[in-house]
Amino acid sequence: MDANKGKGDQGMQNPGGQLDRPVTFNFLESMLPKVVKRRVHALKRLQVQCANIEAKFYEEVHELERKYAALYQPLFDKRRDIVTGTVEPTDEECEWHSDREEEEELAVSTTLDIFLIETFQKFKLLYVIVYIALLTVQEEVKEKAAIEDAKKEEAKPEEDPKGIPEFWLTIFKRVDMLSDMLQEHDEPILKHLRDIQVKFSEPGQPMSFTLEFHFEPNGYFNNAVLTKVYKMKSEPDASDPFSFEGPEIIDCEGCQIDWHKGKDVTVKTIKKKQKHKGRGTVRTVTKQVPNDSFFNFFNPVKASPDGELDEDSEFTLATDFEIGHFFRERIVPRAVLYFTGEALEDDESFEEEELEEGDEEEQDEEGDEDDDDGDFDPKA
Amino acid sequence: MDANKGKGDQGMQNPGGQLDRPVTFNFLESMLPKVVKRRVHALKRLQVQCANIEAKFYEEVHELERKYAALYQPLFDKRRDIVTGTVEPTDEECEWHSDREEEEELAVSTTLDIFLIETFQKFKLLYVIVYIALLTVQEEVKEKAAIEDAKKEEAKPEEDPKGIPEFWLTIFKRVDMLSDMLQEHDEPILKHLRDIQVKFSEPGQPMSFTLEFHFEPNGYFNNAVLTKVYKMKSEPDASDPFSFEGPEIIDCEGCQIDWHKGKDVTVKTIKKKQKHKGRGTVRTVTKQVPNDSFFNFFNPVKASPDGELDEDSEFTLATDFEIGHFFRERIVPRAVLYFTGEALEDDESFEEEELEEGDEEEQDEEGDEDDDDGDFDPKA
């Protein structure tokens, strides 16, 4: 169902909106009697006023998001500390029942309780003993379950991992939009990714948000944080006020990665043999050429102010905006659900709902909202 | 592009959400070492806390929407007064240039101005006369245009229509999701539709919004206003907190239409001949059966609390929720753009963007976001 696709977009309705929609001359309108036409024009002027009010609304929503970002942050910090192994959660903090476990226990205890009541009614005098006996049974059942769990453990390789190993890398691998960018040589680097954070622009500043990729010290680059800034615009376009659908990403900016010598995965060095025309001597020259890598994400194609971009660059840029939006709205707020895959199930089920609406195309297994973007390379 | 589909959904991310998505047992999770698994469970508990904060966020967005509804209302009232002919907008209020007119005028005046400057430089002394002369030319050009306009007028049937005739009916006809519901016998009734308004629930009340269809006195029913209430829920579901995507429509309620005798288009009377077994006498009995009509919109299928609905009813209900959402988010806020068709062009261009992403299906001419819902009949 269509409105489902709005999920999580309260802050930015239209990230790709910088691809303008033309306002074409309207036939019906031109056929109206002049007196009616001028009234329609009056309504259009009112509509422009509505668009300006709407812009103010989205600015306030942005403020709300900044306010709530502060409320989420302590939870996200806790998440980072658990992921990196800085903090070991208490047993209470880890209490969680998968549906299955729940059912099992529920089954056990309810049958026991019913039995208990009946027993209680039948031989009131014995009920204490019976009660204790039955509690013991219940305990035994639980112990048995525990032992089985333990057995499962033994099956696995004995290890004592720190935090949640490869937490973010696993997410990159599971989410199609990200795995499209991911190259094998990126994976060892992303194992050092400790956290991804979203920072909103300060009030009064031009509207924007920044993705911060926090890395632990690693052998690849010196930056502790890689940043990608997405600049937004929240005013109706004077030339086309009716296309306004809320803040839209209009530009983005990466950052300089301070690679260790020979570790830059965004370029590859190719050797070329050159033969000297005259002497016929052969020398080898090395040349650096661009290389596919997620880290090209931090060196995006520049949006030109006059919107003069070739189709490829425009599509690449739109895809980049999509990805930035997806990090902000989905990955960062609910990372664990992309790690476990639960969020992917959600996204799939949306596609299924789309299918219900007569869409014929086939869906792939781990589809997320933004499938089919194809391989992503900001330099393409 | 996907996030575009979020357009206008800031207030309700998930109108169709009442169709639950199952949380299936996760394989990867079950394969993790126990120590890691418990940390993931800790993250899930944090994620539940995030969902609860998110719920608060959406409540505040709802408050914002109520606040802004009050800011839009004067403009919408003005719209209604112009549509109904209660108010005649001033010339200033009607000033509007379609792209084409603009170009024409621009062309005329610039050539004149350039000519003017050259002339001015050539014979400085005569420039005043020339200037006047050329102004006259410019006037003549404009007059000519005016006359041509007038001619265009004559071509049309002479009439003095009140306000903007059939404003809302035209919208119903142009928007596929609405025309799907529309029957021929509905049209004369909808000519009496003066306004559609959205009313939000008061703070402290359970979240909901009401669509109000305001009719002028008419020969069909006594109600001045027909209402459809959409009840929403903005808390994560305890059994499935991660499926929470913001407020969702969980139920809707129509209203009793007080039809004039024999005017109810939602039923049709069929005559049946019955033959008496014994005497063989034939008598005619009349029987009322449901009839397709937009006005069935005010008698929706009931959502059952336990969610026990057959597939058809569930789809019908989901479609009804879609339509309510569409009235609230698109039709009411920008009615004039659906009247002129400009909003439809926008909606089309979104579909085209979807196509870019490898979607093969064909689009129809006047596609709006929620095409392909098929015929709608709440009683189906």
Side-chain angles (χ1 to χ4, degrees):
Chain A
M1 283 161 290
D2 200 82
N4 273 327
K5 297 165 195 162
K7 58 208 273 283
D9 284 339
Q10 69 288 342
M12 178 172 49
Q13 306 308 333
N14 196 12
Q18 44 69 254
L19 310 174
D20 292 335
R21 272 167 263 109
V23 174
T24 63
F25 183 72
N26 188 276
F27 180 69
L28 176 139
E29 205 177 329
S30 69
M31 292 305 293
L32 290 170
K34 203 177 188 73
V35 285
V36 175
K37 197 168 162 184
R38 68 187 288 283
R39 289 168 194 148
V40 171
H41 287 166
L43 294 196
K44 283 191 172 190
R45 284 175 70 99
L46 291 174
Q47 199 62 49
V48 174
Q49 294 179 52
C50 287
N52 294 325
I53 294 175
E54 201 181 353
K56 294 267 163 300
F57 169 80
Y58 285 117
E59 276 166 27
E60 288 208 45
V61 172
H62 188 73
E63 281 313 300
L64 256 191
E65 287 187 301
R66 293 184 59 259
K67 171 183 162 187
Y68 273 80
L71 301 178
Y72 289 122
Q73 200 49 56
L75 300 172
F76 291 159
D77 292 344
K78 189 76 187 272
R79 173 177 74 186
R80 180 202 55 220
D81 294 344
I82 292 170
V83 165
T84 55
T86 321
V87 161
E88 189 62 49
T90 68
D91 289 346
E92 192 205 346
E93 289 174 327
C94 298
E95 236 171 60
W96 189 269
H97 294 270
S98 82
D99 299 345
R100 186 183 290 178
E101 285 161 25
E102 230 156 21
E103 284 155 23
E104 286 171 358
E105 271 217 340
L106 212 66
V108 174
S109 44
T110 38
T111 38
L112 275 174
D113 298 341
I114 294 160
F115 188 19
L116 239 163
I117 294 153
E118 288 169 349
T119 323
F120 178 74
Q121 288 159 341
K122 281 180 191 147
F123 353 71
K124 287 191 175 52
L125 287 171
L126 288 172
Y127 89 93
V128 183
I129 303 107
V130 177
Y131 184 78
I132 293 156
L134 287 167
L135 282 192
T136 335
V137 176
Q138 190 166 23
E139 279 320 301
E140 277 167 11
V141 175
K142 280 186 175 165
E143 272 163 27
K144 202 147 157 280
I147 291 156
E148 273 161 8
D149 274 338
K151 280 201 190 117
K152 280 198 211 124
E153 284 318 297
E154 284 155 22
K156 294 182 194 132
E158 218 40 72
E159 53 180 323
D160 181 18
K162 185 158 161 288
I164 303 175
E166 305 188 9
F167 179 76
W168 292 104
L169 174 57
T170 306
I171 293 167
F172 270 74
K173 286 177 173 171
R174 300 198 89 179
V175 176
D176 290 15
M177 199 186 352
L178 303 183
S179 62
D180 287 340
M181 294 189 276
L182 194 65
Q183 305 297 322
E184 219 177 325
H185 50 250
D186 297 327
E187 299 191 11
I189 310 176
L190 286 172
K191 286 180 184 174
H192 299 285
L193 182 54
R194 300 172 72 244
D195 197 19
I196 306 178
Q197 295 181 16
V198 179
K199 296 283 164 69
F200 292 97
S201 52
E202 292 299 318
Q205 298 297 313
M207 197 186 282
S208 75
F209 68 92
T210 303
L211 300 177
E212 294 183 348
F213 295 74
H214 293 255
F215 285 85
E216 63 191 3
N218 62 76
Y220 300 92
F221 46 71
N222 295 319
N223 318 51
V225 184
L226 300 181
T227 59
K228 181 88 171 260
V229 182
Y230 285 94
K231 296 170 184 169
M232 294 191 287
K233 175 171 158 296
S234 182
E235 309 105 42
D237 190 345
S239 69
D240 180 16
F242 301 143
S243 72
F244 182 66
E245 299 285 353
E248 55 186 37
I249 297 177
I250 52 171
D251 194 10
C252 64
E253 215 168 79
C255 69
Q256 190 68 46
I257 303 180
D258 179 16
W259 294 99
H260 293 175
K261 198 170 183 322
K263 296 290 189 179
D264 184 349
V265 294
T266 65
V267 293
K268 57 186 167 203
T269 311
I270 55 169
K271 283 193 165 61
K272 256 187 172 180
K273 277 190 159 47
Q274 281 186 342
K275 192 172 187 187
H276 188 285
K277 285 220 173 47
R279 279 184 249 94
T281 52
V282 176
R283 63 168 187 170
T284 315
V285 293
T286 62
K287 196 174 144 211
Q288 289 207 321
V289 295
N291 194 23
D292 281 352
S293 164
F294 160 70
F295 291 91
N296 289 319
F297 183 65
F298 299 100
N299 182 19
V301 49
K302 284 261 32 91
S304 63
D306 52 8
E308 292 300 320
L309 272 177
D310 63 277
E311 214 177 80
D312 279 3
S313 312
E314 208 167 51
F315 180 74
T316 308
L317 201 59
T319 309
D320 186 323
F321 291 176
E322 277 306 295
I323 292 164
H325 178 70
F326 195 70
F327 268 117
R328 166 191 162 163
E329 290 293 341
R330 311 297 295 167
I331 302 285
V332 172
R334 42 189 73 188
V336 67
L337 302 181
Y338 285 96
F339 176 80
T340 62
E342 280 152 288
L344 299 173
E345 285 157 18
D346 286 1
D347 297 342
E348 255 176 58
S349 73
F350 288 119
E351 291 177 357
E352 278 150 28
E353 281 162 12
E354 281 176 62
L355 279 173
E356 278 171 19
E357 288 176 22
D359 182 340
E360 298 301 332
E361 74 183 303
E362 289 201 331
Q363 310 292 343
D364 43 16
E365 272 311 286
E366 269 198 4
D368 65 54
E369 290 172 303
D370 292 66
D371 272 355
D372 316 327
D373 285 337
D375 278 335
F376 175 79
D377 174 6
K379 286 178 175 163
Chain B
M1 281 162 293
D2 200 82
N4 273 328
K5 299 168 196 160
K7 58 209 273 286
D9 283 341
Q10 70 288 343
M12 180 172 49
Q13 306 307 334
N14 195 11
Q18 46 68 255
L19 309 174
D20 291 335
R21 269 167 265 108
V23 173
T24 63
F25 182 74
N26 188 277
F27 180 69
L28 176 140
E29 206 178 328
S30 68
M31 291 303 292
L32 291 170
K34 202 180 188 73
V35 286
V36 175
K37 197 168 161 184
R38 66 187 288 284
R39 290 168 194 148
V40 171
H41 287 166
L43 294 196
K44 283 191 174 190
R45 284 175 70 98
L46 291 174
Q47 199 62 47
V48 174
Q49 294 179 51
C50 288
N52 294 325
I53 294 175
E54 203 182 352
K56 295 267 164 297
F57 168 80
Y58 285 117
E59 276 164 27
E60 290 208 44
V61 172
H62 188 74
E63 281 313 302
L64 256 191
E65 287 187 300
R66 294 183 58 261
K67 170 184 163 187
Y68 273 80
L71 300 178
Y72 290 122
Q73 201 50 54
L75 300 173
F76 292 159
D77 292 344
K78 188 76 188 269
R79 173 177 72 187
R80 179 202 55 222
D81 294 343
I82 293 171
V83 165
T84 55
T86 319
V87 161
E88 189 62 48
T90 67
D91 289 345
E92 194 206 344
E93 288 174 328
C94 296
E95 237 171 61
W96 189 269
H97 293 270
S98 83
D99 300 344
R100 182 182 292 177
E101 284 161 24
E102 232 154 20
E103 284 156 19
E104 285 171 357
E105 274 214 340
L106 213 63
V108 174
S109 42
T110 39
T111 37
L112 275 174
D113 298 341
I114 293 163
F115 188 17
L116 241 162
I117 294 153
E118 287 168 349
T119 323
F120 178 75
Q121 287 158 340
K122 280 178 189 151
F123 347 88
K124 288 189 172 54
L125 285 170
L126 287 171
Y127 88 92
V128 184
I129 300 113
V130 178
Y131 183 80
I132 292 159
L134 287 167
L135 282 191
T136 334
V137 175
Q138 190 165 23
E139 278 322 300
E140 276 168 13
V141 174
K142 281 187 171 162
E143 272 162 41
K144 202 148 155 277
I147 291 157
E148 271 161 10
D149 274 339
K151 280 207 192 107
K152 280 199 211 123
E153 284 316 299
E154 282 156 24
K156 294 183 194 129
E158 214 41 70
E159 50 180 327
D160 179 19
K162 189 158 158 288
I164 303 175
E166 305 189 10
F167 178 76
W168 292 104
L169 174 57
T170 306
I171 292 168
F172 270 74
K173 286 177 174 173
R174 298 198 92 179
V175 175
D176 291 15
M177 197 185 356
L178 303 183
S179 61
D180 286 341
M181 294 189 274
L182 195 62
Q183 305 298 322
E184 220 177 325
H185 49 250
D186 296 327
E187 299 191 10
I189 310 177
L190 286 171
K191 286 180 184 176
H192 299 285
L193 182 54
R194 300 173 70 245
D195 197 19
I196 306 179
Q197 296 181 15
V198 179
K199 295 281 164 71
F200 293 97
S201 53
E202 292 298 319
Q205 297 298 313
M207 197 185 283
S208 75
F209 67 93
T210 302
L211 300 177
E212 294 183 349
F213 296 74
H214 294 255
F215 286 84
E216 63 191 2
N218 62 76
Y220 301 92
F221 47 71
N222 295 319
N223 317 52
V225 184
L226 300 181
T227 60
K228 180 87 170 262
V229 183
Y230 285 94
K231 296 171 183 168
M232 294 191 287
K233 175 169 157 297
S234 183
E235 309 104 44
D237 191 345
S239 70
D240 180 15
F242 300 143
S243 71
F244 181 67
E245 299 285 354
E248 55 185 36
I249 297 176
I250 51 171
D251 194 10
C252 62
E253 214 168 78
C255 69
Q256 191 67 46
I257 304 181
D258 179 15
W259 294 99
H260 292 174
K261 194 167 188 324
K263 297 289 189 178
D264 184 350
V265 294
T266 65
V267 293
K268 55 184 167 207
T269 311
I270 54 169
K271 283 190 165 62
K272 256 188 169 179
K273 277 189 160 46
Q274 280 187 342
K275 193 172 184 186
H276 189 285
K277 286 224 172 47
R279 280 188 247 92
T281 53
V282 176
R283 62 165 187 170
T284 316
V285 291
T286 62
K287 196 176 146 209
Q288 288 206 322
V289 295
N291 194 21
D292 280 353
S293 164
F294 159 70
F295 291 92
N296 289 317
F297 183 65
F298 299 100
N299 182 20
V301 47
K302 284 262 24 97
S304 64
D306 51 8
E308 293 299 319
L309 273 177
D310 63 276
E311 214 177 77
D312 278 2
S313 313
E314 208 168 51
F315 181 75
T316 308
L317 201 60
T319 310
D320 186 326
F321 291 177
E322 277 306 297
I323 293 165
H325 178 70
F326 195 69
F327 268 117
R328 167 192 160 161
E329 291 292 342
R330 310 297 295 168
I331 302 285
V332 172
R334 43 189 75 188
V336 67
L337 302 180
Y338 285 96
F339 176 80
T340 63
E342 280 152 289
L344 299 171
E345 285 158 18
D346 286 1
D347 297 343
E348 256 177 58
S349 73
F350 287 120
E351 292 178 356
E352 279 151 28
E353 280 162 12
E354 282 176 60
L355 278 174
E356 280 171 17
E357 288 178 21
D359 182 338
E360 298 301 333
E361 74 182 302
E362 291 202 331
Q363 310 293 341
D364 42 17
E365 273 310 286
E366 270 198 2
D368 64 55
E369 291 174 301
D370 292 69
D371 273 355
D372 317 327
D373 285 337
D375 278 334
F376 174 79
D377 172 7
K379 285 179 174 164

